Amino acid sequence: MPTSQISCAVSHRQLTIGDEKSHRSFVRFVEEEYGKVDVLVNNAGMAFKNADPTPFELQCKPTIDVNFRGTVDFTEELLPLIRRGRDARIVNVASMAGHLSQLRSKELRSEFSSPRLTKWEVFALVDKFESNVLDGTHVSEGWGNSNYGLSKLAVIAMTKVWAREEATNGISVNCCCPGYCDTDMTSHHGRRHPSEGARNAVIPAVMDHPPSGEYFSDFRVSVW
């Protein structure tokens, strides 16, 4: 069927990622209205502009609370409905800024990429980064120097944790980098049209026989 002839009902509901009350309210609405979720794309995120005067250490918690902690809390609230879904998928929108190479410490890179990493270990590592940022030791402790980058690295790590945990439930869990897009977040400096960036999330969301635990970039599975 030509794309121009495809139609569907679209509805919207307010959701504030990082606000647990909002998460619960949204999940209740979805359960009452639809009873299940086939595809979740976690696209919400925030980043401080380079020109923002907020000190680096004060940017840390709000960035992580939305991009990582809020995303994890919301996803886990919704997981019971996703497990009811048909050929269910989760796609987490990450970033090229979330690459492992941002970590100066080989040990930290090994911990985040471990195939035995657990959710609680990811949280402990993120908490350690935040603590080190607050006391000014994050660089000497082997971390990178980007709150946004670390938050997205943690999202990628959690993607791989969920992929392992939800494999028995038939849920594929992947993440993607949309690329440097022409959006408000990049102050419209990005060269990629937002619709092209969105394709990186759409591909693992709708493809036949998707992998799980992978990082998509430039429309294909890529190296983290």
Side-chain angles (χ1 to χ4, degrees):
M1 180 182 292
T3 303
S4 60
Q5 297 180 27
I6 296 175
S7 64
C8 63
V10 177
S11 63
H12 68 278
R13 181 82 173 182
Q14 183 173 334
L15 170 65
T16 303
I17 294 296
D19 181 335
E20 293 184 359
K21 184 177 180 181
S22 179
H23 299 174
R24 311 297 185 266
S25 175
F26 185 91
V27 172
R28 283 196 301 270
F29 167 78
V30 172
E31 182 167 25
E32 293 168 2
E33 196 74 13
Y34 304 104
K36 68 183 180 80
V37 171
D38 294 325
V39 179
L40 166 64
V41 177
N42 281 313
N43 187 47
M46 64 86 69
F48 284 86
K49 302 284 188 179
N50 289 335
D52 194 296
T54 306
F56 181 81
E57 63 272 15
L58 298 184
Q59 295 181 13
C60 186
K61 180 174 171 57
T63 302
I64 291 173
D65 280 352
V66 172
N67 295 353
F68 173 66
R69 296 185 182 115
T71 295
V72 172
D73 181 78
F74 174 69
T75 301
E76 300 218 319
E77 282 292 316
L78 203 59
L79 264 173
L81 300 185
I82 300 172
R83 291 174 184 137
R84 300 177 193 172
R86 179 183 177 186
D87 191 18
R89 323 280 179 93
I90 298 173
V91 181
N92 298 312
V93 177
S95 170
M96 64 184 75
H99 275 297
L100 277 170
S101 59
Q102 71 181 277
L103 300 173
R104 295 172 170 85
S105 164
K106 182 179 179 180
E107 181 180 345
L108 286 172
R109 291 196 298 271
S110 295
E111 289 185 72
F112 272 107
S113 60
S114 169
R116 295 177 296 279
L117 187 68
T118 67
K119 167 189 170 181
W120 302 116
E121 288 171 338
V122 179
F123 269 81
L125 285 165
V126 171
D127 289 347
K128 181 181 179 183
F129 170 76
E130 183 180 353
S131 176
N132 290 161
V133 167
L134 291 177
D135 63 25
T137 63
H138 62 286
V139 173
S140 63
E141 289 293 327
W143 301 97
N145 200 37
S146 170
N147 293 312
Y148 179 79
L150 192 282
S151 73
K152 290 301 187 177
L153 185 150
V155 166
I156 297 170
M158 269 306 303
T159 296
K160 295 178 180 293
V161 171
W162 278 323
R164 293 192 294 271
E165 291 181 347
E166 297 302 322
T168 56
N169 293 315
I171 301 173
S172 72
V173 189
N174 293 291
C175 58
C176 71
C177 167
Y180 194 43
C181 296
D182 179 9
T183 62
D184 290 345
M185 182 174 278
T186 66
S187 299
H188 299 282
H189 292 153
R191 298 180 179 179
R192 178 172 286 174
H193 192 276
S195 63
E196 283 295 287
R199 282 180 57 206
N200 283 294
V202 172
I203 289 169
V206 303
M207 69 188 295
D208 292 331
H209 312 296
S212 194
E214 297 292 355
Y215 171 77
F216 282 74
S217 178
D218 292 328
F219 321 115
R220 60 183 181 273
V221 172
S222 187
V223 177
W224 178 29

